[in-house]
C-alpha cells in the first residue's frame, strides 16, 4: 500500500515527458526580482538537487545590504497603483495565471520533484494545492471583504516549496496587497517559474518581488520592517522558529504556519496494521519534512507492544530511493546540513533506535541525502526531543499508562498546526475533538490528508 502511488490523480506518461524536459533545461542565473527589475549582487551561489548533487539548477544572487529595504520600497510604490484596481481586474489577472498553471501542471511538479525530493504524487499534490487555492480565491469576486492593504512579507521554507509561498502571495495580491516573497533557498525554482508566468501576462512591476537568502540574514530584516502590513512565516527551518521571538511591531499582522510535532494519540485502534500504515505515512512522507509530518505518537501501555510490532513490520516495506520512480515511498532529506544534523542526532540516540537511521547505499543514492527514517523509543520525559519537533524523519514513541496521561502529554507537546487520534472508541474521539488545542484535527487517517497554506485566503490579508 505505502509502496504504490495513486495514479488516479495524474498521468505517468505526461509526468515523465515533463520530467525529462525539466531535467534538460539549460542552467541560468536567477537574480532577485525587485520592482520588475533583475537585481544582481555579484555574490553568486549554486542550488543543487537533494536527489543528486550533480544536478545544478543555476546560480542565484546573495542579496546585498539594503536589498530588503529596496524590495519593500518597490512593493509600497506598486501598492498605490495595484490597490486602486478593482477586485474584478485583479481576479481577471490571476484567472489567466491559473489557466497557465493548469496547463503547466506537470512541468511545475517535475521541477518540485527535482528541487525538493518530493515523490511524483507529492509533487503533483503541491501544484494541485496551488490550483485549488487560486480557484477558490478567483471564484470569490464580490465576497472579498474590504480592509486596509499594503505590502506583505512572505517567508517560507522547503516544507512546501510552491504551494505555501505562492498561495499566500496570490491571496494577498487578490486582496489588493503587494508582496515581498522569500522562498526556500534550497528549492526556489518553482516559485521563479510561476513568477515568470506572471511576468508574461503583464504583472505590474513591484506587485510581487523575490529575494533568495542563502545565509538567512535578510529574513529578520524583512520581519522587522515596520512599513509592512503583515508577514507570513511558514515552515520548519531554524531561522523561522527563531522568528517567534522577534520583537516585531505591535501593528504588524503575523500569520504563523510553523511546523510542530503534529502528534497522534493511539488508543485501542482496532485494526493495528491500518493504524501503523497511517502513522508511517504521517511521519515519513516527504522524509518527515511536510508541514503536517508527525514526529511523535502517544500510545497507552496496553496498546504499545502490538503497535510497535506492527510499525516495525510495515516500516520494512518502505521504499526509499529515487522519488521519480513509481512506487518510491519517500526520497532524500533536503540538504547536507539536515543530513549531518540527522546523523549527529542518531549518534546520540543509538540505544533508543528501534528501526532505521541508516544511510541508503546504492549507485543512485550516493550523490544524495537518502536515509531510512528512524523510529525511537524509551527517551526520558525530560528530553526536549519528546516535545519539540526536530524537522527530520524521526518518529518518537511515548508510552503512557492511561489515556488521561496521554492527554496531559499532548498538552505539553509543541503540536504545531495539528494533532490526530487513532481509536475505535467514539467517546475518546469526541473528547479529543473537544480538548485538543490545535487548528486541525485528524481522526483514524494519516496527516497527509492535511494541506499547506492554511491562511491562504484574501480576507486574511486585510486589516
Amino acid at each position: 500500500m505505502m509502496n504504490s502511488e495513486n495514479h488516479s490523480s495524474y498521468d505517468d506518461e505526461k509526468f515523465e515527458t515533463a520530467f525529462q524536459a525539466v531535467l534538460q533545461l539549460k542552467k541560468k542565473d536567477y537574480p532577485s526580482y525587485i520592482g520588475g527589475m533583475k537585481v544582481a549582487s555579484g555574490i553568486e551561489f549554486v542550488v543543487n538537487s537533494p536527489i543528486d548533487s550533480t544536478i545544478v539548477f543555476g546560480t542565484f544572487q546573495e542579496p546585498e545590504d539594503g536589498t530588503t529595504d529596496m524590495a519593500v520600497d518597490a512593493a509600497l510604490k506598486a501598492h498605490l497603483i495595484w490597490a486602486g484596481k478593482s477586485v474584478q481586474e485583479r481576479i481577471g489577472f490571476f484567472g489567466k495565471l491559473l489557466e497557465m498553471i493548469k496547463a503547466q501542471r506537470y512541468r511545475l511538479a517535475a521541477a518540485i520533484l527535482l528541487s525538493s525530493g518530493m515523490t511524483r504524487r507529492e509533487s503533483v499534490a503541491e501544484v494541485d494545492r496551488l490550483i485549488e487555492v487560486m480557484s477558490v480565491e478567483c471564484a470569490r469576486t464580490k465576497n472579498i471583504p474590504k480592509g486596509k492593504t499594503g505590502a506583505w512579507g512572505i517567508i517560507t521554507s522547503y516544507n512546501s516549496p510552491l504551494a505555501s509561498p505562492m498561495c499566500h502571495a496570490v491571496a494577498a495580491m487578490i486582496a489588493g496587497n503587494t508582496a515581498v516573497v522569500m522562498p526556500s533557498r534550497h528549492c526556489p525554482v518553482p516559485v521563479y517559474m510561476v513568477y515568470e508566468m506572471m511576468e508574461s501576462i503583464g504583472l505590474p512591476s513591484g506587485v510581487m518581488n523575490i529575494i533568495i537568502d542563502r545565509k538567512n540574514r535578510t529574513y529578520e530584516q524583512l520581519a522587522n520592517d515596520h512599513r509592512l502590513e503583515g508577514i507570513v512565516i511558514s515552515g520548519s527551518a531554524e531561522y523561522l522558529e527563531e522568528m517567534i521571538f522577534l520583537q516585531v511591531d505591535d501593528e504588524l499582522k503575523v500569520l504563523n504556519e510553523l511546523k510542530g510535532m503534529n502528534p497522534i494519540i493511539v488508543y485501542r485502534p482496532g485494526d493495528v496494521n491500518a493504524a501503523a500504515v497511517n502513522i508511517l505515512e504521517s511521519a515519513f512522507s516527504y522524509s518527515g519534512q511536510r508541514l503536517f509530518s508527525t514526529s511523535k505518537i502517544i500510545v497507552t501501555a496496553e496498546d504499545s507492544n502490538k503497535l510497535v510490532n506492527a510499525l516495525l513490520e510495515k516500516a520494512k516495506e518502505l521504499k526509499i530511493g529515487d522519488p521519480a520512480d513509481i512506487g518510491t515511498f519517500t526520497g532524500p532529506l533536503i540538504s547536507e546540513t539536515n543530513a549531518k544534523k540527522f546523523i549527529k542526532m542518531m549518534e546520540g540516540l543509538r540505544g533508543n533506535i528501534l528501526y532505521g537511521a541508516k544511510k541508503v547505499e546504492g549507485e543512485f543514492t550516493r550523490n544524495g541525502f537518502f536515509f531510512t527514517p528512524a523510529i525511537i523509543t524509551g527517551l526520558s520525559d525530560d528530553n526536549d526531543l519528546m516535545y519539540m519537533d526536530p524537522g527530520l524523519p524521526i518518529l518518537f514513541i511515548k508510552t503512557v499508562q492511561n489515556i488521561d496521561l496521554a492527554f496531559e502529554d499532548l498538552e505539553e507537546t509543541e503540536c504545531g498546526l495539528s494533532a490526530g487520534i487513532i481509536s475505535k472508541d467514539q467517546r475518546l474521539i469526541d473528547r479529543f475533538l473537544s480538548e485538543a488545542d490545535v487548528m486541525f484535527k485528524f481522526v483514524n487517517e494519516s496527516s497527509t490528508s492535511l494541506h499547506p497554506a492554511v491562511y491562504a485566503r484574501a480576507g486574511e490579508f486585510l486589516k
Side-chain angles (χ1 to χ4, degrees):
M1 178 179 178
M2 289 182 291
N3 290 337
S4 62
E5 299 283 6
N6 177 5
H7 295 153
S8 63
S9 62
Y10 66 91
D11 184 304
D12 279 320
E13 185 175 347
K14 290 181 179 179
F15 187 97
E16 186 63 34
T17 300
F19 179 78
Q20 293 301 325
V22 171
L23 197 58
Q24 298 303 319
L25 285 176
K26 291 183 178 180
K27 312 302 179 286
K28 64 178 184 179
D29 181 60
Y30 292 88
S32 297
Y33 280 101
I34 299 176
M37 303 292 290
K38 297 180 179 180
V39 178
S41 64
I43 308 170
E44 299 179 345
F45 65 96
V46 173
V47 173
N48 308 83
S49 171
I51 303 170
D52 186 336
S53 59
T54 65
I55 299 175
V56 178
F57 297 104
T59 55
F60 292 76
Q61 298 290 317
E62 186 74 36
E64 296 178 291
D65 290 341
T67 301
T68 305
D69 288 340
M70 189 189 309
V72 175
D73 286 340
L76 291 170
K77 181 179 179 181
H79 174 254
L80 297 174
I81 300 173
W82 182 249
K85 294 183 179 293
S86 68
V87 173
Q88 288 74 20
E89 284 182 281
R90 295 196 297 267
I91 287 179
F93 174 85
F94 286 106
K96 293 178 183 177
L97 177 64
L98 175 60
E99 294 308 309
M100 292 186 72
I101 290 172
K102 288 179 179 178
Q104 298 195 44
R105 179 182 182 225
Y106 293 108
R107 178 171 173 264
L108 284 168
I112 291 168
L113 187 153
L114 281 167
S115 59
S116 71
M118 285 183 171
T119 63
R120 292 187 181 210
R121 175 175 55 82
E122 292 164 343
S123 299
V124 172
E126 184 78 359
V127 181
D128 286 347
R129 176 59 175 161
L130 175 57
I131 291 172
E132 174 192 10
V133 169
M134 289 185 65
S135 298
V136 170
E137 293 306 302
C138 286
R140 291 188 189 279
T141 314
K142 298 179 181 179
N143 295 324
I144 295 177
K146 294 185 180 296
K148 185 181 179 183
T149 58
W152 274 72
I154 298 172
I155 302 172
T156 60
S157 191
Y158 52 82
N159 310 85
S160 173
L162 177 66
S164 190
M166 289 312 305
C167 286
H168 288 120
V170 167
M173 290 185 284
I174 284 178
N177 297 280
T178 53
V180 178
V181 180
M182 289 187 172
S184 169
R185 62 190 174 92
H186 296 296
C187 40
V189 173
V191 169
Y192 273 86
M193 291 171 71
V194 173
Y195 179 83
E196 290 169 358
M197 295 182 203
M198 296 167 74
E199 270 199 325
S200 73
I201 56 175
L203 176 72
S205 298
V207 173
M208 177 172 156
N209 308 273
I210 304 178
I211 302 174
I212 300 295
D213 182 5
R214 175 183 52 166
K215 296 182 179 179
N216 303 332
R217 295 177 303 181
T218 60
Y219 296 98
E220 185 174 342
Q221 295 171 16
L222 182 64
N224 275 314
D225 197 313
H226 68 277
R227 297 173 296 168
L228 295 174
E229 290 297 321
I231 189 165
V232 176
I233 304 171
S234 176
S236 69
E238 289 181 4
Y239 61 87
L240 296 182
E241 294 167 358
E242 292 168 357
M243 284 189 176
I244 296 175
F245 306 105
L246 287 181
Q247 299 300 312
V248 296
D249 192 294
D250 290 339
E251 295 184 1
L252 183 70
K253 186 174 182 180
V254 179
L255 301 179
N256 278 329
E257 195 178 74
L258 295 175
K259 184 186 180 313
M261 296 197 87
N262 301 297
I264 299 174
I265 291 176
V266 183
Y267 178 72
R268 297 179 182 174
D271 187 340
V272 71
N273 289 317
V277 169
N278 282 328
I279 290 168
L280 292 174
E281 288 183 347
S282 299
F284 300 139
S285 294
Y286 186 33
S287 291
Q289 299 170 134
R290 294 178 67 251
L291 197 62
F292 293 98
S293 289
T294 292
S295 53
K296 178 180 182 179
I297 60 170
I298 308 166
V299 58
T300 53
E302 65 178 284
D303 297 306
S304 182
N305 286 340
K306 61 183 178 182
L307 179 65
V308 168
N309 289 335
L311 285 171
L312 296 179
E313 283 300 313
K314 293 296 181 182
K316 296 175 184 177
E317 301 175 7
L318 302 181
K319 179 182 176 183
I320 295 93
D322 184 356
D325 286 349
I326 298 171
T328 294
F329 173 74
T330 193
L333 293 176
I334 191 65
S335 68
E336 183 179 7
T337 298
N338 280 17
K340 289 180 178 178
K341 180 181 177 182
F342 181 70
I343 292 169
K344 183 176 181 180
M345 190 175 292
M346 291 303 99
E347 288 174 350
L349 298 173
R350 195 174 302 278
N352 301 97
I353 300 173
L354 290 181
Y355 171 83
K358 297 179 180 179
K359 184 80 169 66
V360 177
E361 303 295 342
E363 182 68 23
F364 178 83
T365 60
R366 65 180 180 180
N367 292 322
F369 313 116
F370 294 85
F371 294 85
T372 52
I375 299 176
I376 306 294
T377 190
L379 294 188
S380 63
D381 288 345
D382 60 356
N383 192 314
D384 289 343
L385 292 174
M386 293 297 290
Y387 305 100
M388 301 295 291
D389 178 59
L392 296 167
I394 306 172
L395 179 64
F396 297 99
I397 300 175
K398 175 66 177 292
T399 300
V400 294
Q401 290 305 307
N402 57 60
I403 194 61
D404 289 330
L405 291 174
F407 275 87
E408 287 181 17
D409 196 82
L410 184 68
E411 289 183 9
E412 295 173 0
T413 301
E414 185 62 47
C415 294
L417 295 169
S418 75
I421 188 168
I422 297 176
S423 177
K424 64 179 180 180
D425 187 328
Q426 187 58 48
R427 287 181 299 178
L428 186 68
I429 292 172
D430 293 340
R431 177 183 174 184
F432 168 79
L433 294 175
S434 174
E435 295 184 14
D437 185 20
V438 290
M439 183 179 293
F440 297 101
K441 302 164 189 177
F442 52 102
V443 177
N444 291 326
E445 62 181 350
S446 80
S447 66
T448 56
S449 61
L450 304 175
H451 305 290
V454 299
Y455 294 109
R457 298 179 296 276
E460 293 282 1
F461 294 88
L462 299 169
K463 290 178 68 177

